[in-house]
Amino acid sequence: MKYILVYLAVPAAAAFLVQSILCRKIKKGLLRYGALLFPVIYSGVGGITLLTQSDGMFGGLGVIAAVLWFAGACCAALGCGMAWLLFAIRKR
């Protein structure tokens, strides 16, 4: 249970907090989308984990770890989206 919290809830919360701060402080520019680095990094680590797994006895565990990394990337993207949604609602 604690690993689900680490791989899913923490990236979503971190991306939400960083993106909400960036939405409030930065008015224009590419820097406003800085929290999208969280899903990109998580996807990259998941891809590296998937490509570098060994075919030994525990080869299947690398696939499970990669799925958790990709799920963390989806949750981080969801956190960014929720921050943008909250910013759009509050702006109106």
Side-chain angles (χ1 to χ4, degrees), residues 40-62:
V40 170
I41 290 171
Y42 269 74
S43 296
V45 172
I48 290 171
T49 303
L50 190 62
L51 293 175
T52 59
Q53 70 175 349
S54 64
D55 290 330
M57 185 169 65
F58 297 108
L61 294 179

Side-chain angles (χ1 to χ4, degrees), residues 5-73:
L5 181 68
V6 169
Y7 279 103
L8 301 179
V10 172
F16 177 79
L17 288 175
V18 170
Q19 187 63 48
S20 63
I21 290 170
L22 290 176
C23 282
R24 279 189 244 140
K25 299 292 183 185
I26 299 173
K27 298 300 177 194
K28 291 184 180 179
L30 190 61
L31 190 60
R32 193 172 195 180
Y33 303 103
L36 290 176
L37 284 176
F38 289 117
V40 170
I41 290 171
Y42 269 74
S43 296
V45 172
I48 290 171
T49 303
L50 190 62
L51 293 175
T52 59
Q53 70 175 349
S54 64
D55 290 330
M57 185 169 65
F58 297 108
L61 294 179
V63 175
I64 295 170
V67 167
L68 286 174
W69 282 110
F70 289 131

